[in-house]
Amino acid sequence: MRILGWILLILGILSFVGAASQGNSIIGPVFFGGLGAYLLSRANKKKQEEHDKDKWINGHNV
């Protein structure tokens, strides 16, 4: 999910720059850039939740 997020974010940004410079619609690039950012955010949140769960299970909840 993290790799797909980076790919969509980079492609969305590049497509946004290309579409904006040519005067085309930027709806598609903004959507894919936002989707990529969401996937990265969700992957980071999932990793943090797993870290907190492991920390709680091991009794290191200081």
Side-chain angles (χ1 to χ4, degrees):
M1 189 158 64
R2 184 177 308 250
I3 294 171
L4 181 62
W6 277 113
I7 291 170
L8 288 176
L9 183 63
I10 291 170
L11 287 177
I13 290 170
L14 292 174
S15 297
F16 178 85
V17 170
S21 68
Q22 294 296 316
N24 295 332
S25 175
I26 58 169
I27 302 259
V30 168
F31 172 77
F32 283 107
L35 181 61
Y38 171 76
L39 290 176
L40 285 173
S41 171
R42 186 65 195 131
N44 288 336
K45 190 180 293 185
K46 186 176 179 180
K47 183 177 178 182
Q48 182 64 34
E49 287 173 355
E50 289 177 4
H51 180 270
D52 291 344
K53 181 180 175 184
D54 290 341
K55 191 175 173 182
W56 185 79
I57 289 174
N58 293 331
H60 298 281
N61 52 358
V62 175

